[in-house]
Amino acid sequence: MTRRLLNAGLYLLLGLINMVYGGQPIQGVEDRVEVANVRFNTLRPPDGSDDNWFEVDIELDARPAASSPGRVTKQLRVVARLAYDRPGSENGRRWEFFRASGELVGLAAGRAHVRFYLPPEIVKRDSLGGAPEFWEVTLSGESLVQQNPPGRKSPSLSVAEVQQGFRDKIATEGQANDGILQVQYLTPFATAYPRSTPTYVRHEAWR
């Protein structure tokens, strides 16, 4: 009888927890990572080259779950999407769509920077400088707070229909430019910013 009462009490407690938190992870076991800022720059790499690269600098603010070992978040993925129009040879102007992602081992508490780059050939061809007209940064991870998915976007994507149209274009026309927008470790900036650059998951380490 005692065991039955204990089991019944346990089921009741679990039911109450589920009602209070709506099936969401309990506070204290979730990682909180927000996009604090996104900056766009043209700059020369540290190898002494004279050609400018276009840098997308994503500043993250991480608050690991209180229960996480060593106060480090679980793995998370950062995705950058860009779109802008450039002079075209026939139709006057044409749109270019780019996407890239980086997977992080984890983030300690505080600020870190994830950076993506467009190479000099694209900078020259498209006369890049400053923020593109449309851009979006999204974060995903199994332990991230999901009530308000973290990320940041350009003001031009403030309307839901426009944002969805942008994502649709990225998903279809962005394929033609896959591999051009590159995560930091694939560029001449691989060893730059050592104090603020997190560690990336490198799947090629095991084949």
Side-chain angles (χ1 to χ4, degrees), residues 1 3 36 45 49 52 57 67 78 80 85 89 101 104 116 126 131 134 142 147 153 164 180:
M1 179 66 70
R3 179 173 294 180
S49 171
N52 284 331
D57 178 4
S67 60
V78 182
D85 63 340
S89 58
S101 68
L104 307 181
F116 298 93
D126 300 347
F134 298 96
E142 62 174 302
Q147 292 92 330
K153 58 190 177 185
Q164 187 57 53
I180 296 179

Side-chain angles (χ1 to χ4, degrees), residues 62-136:
R63 286 170 287 170
S67 60
S68 63
R71 296 305 303 278
V72 175
T73 71
K74 292 184 179 180
Q75 291 184 13
L76 65 149
R77 192 176 194 84
V78 182
V79 176
R81 303 177 181 89
L82 314 176
Y84 58 82
D85 63 340
R86 68 177 179 90
S89 58
E90 296 179 1
N91 299 323
R93 304 193 69 84
R94 60 171 293 175
W95 283 91
E96 295 290 343
F97 300 90
F98 298 93
R99 61 186 181 179
S101 68
E103 189 174 353
L104 307 181
V105 171
L107 290 174
R111 297 292 177 101
H113 292 253
V114 172
R115 298 176 176 91
F116 298 93
Y117 294 88
L118 286 171
E121 294 84 353
I122 302 300
V123 174
K124 291 179 179 178
R125 184 194 71 183
D126 300 347
S127 301
L128 289 181
E133 185 172 356
F134 298 96
W135 60 266
E136 180 184 38

Side-chain angles (χ1 to χ4, degrees), residues 2 24 32 38 68 91 121 123 125 146 156 168 176 182:
T2 302
Q24 297 294 330
R32 296 179 179 269
V38 180
S68 63
N91 299 323
E121 294 84 353
V123 174
R125 184 194 71 183
Q146 296 299 315
S156 54
D168 291 343
Q182 302 170 26

Side-chain angles (χ1 to χ4, degrees), residues 8-25:
L10 178 60
Y11 286 128
L12 177 61
L13 177 60
L14 292 174
L16 289 173
I17 290 174
N18 187 64
M19 290 176 60
V20 171
Y21 293 100
Q24 297 294 330

Side-chain angles (χ1 to χ4, degrees), residues 35-66:
V35 179
N37 208 342
V38 180
R39 302 177 182 90
F40 302 90
N41 308 290
T42 52
L43 69 168
R44 295 178 180 177
D47 62 6
S49 171
D50 292 333
D51 295 325
N52 284 331
W53 290 63
F54 184 78
E55 179 184 73
V56 183
D57 178 4
I58 302 165
E59 184 177 7
L60 302 177
D61 182 15
R63 286 170 287 170

Side-chain angles (χ1 to χ4, degrees), residues 81 134-138 151-154 156-170:
R81 303 177 181 89
F134 298 96
W135 60 266
E136 180 184 38
V137 173
T138 57
R152 185 166 285 206
K153 58 190 177 185
S154 60
S156 54
L157 296 178
S158 57
V159 177
E161 291 79 3
V162 176
Q163 183 179 22
Q164 187 57 53
F166 165 76
R167 290 182 173 180
D168 291 343
K169 284 287 189 179
I170 290 288

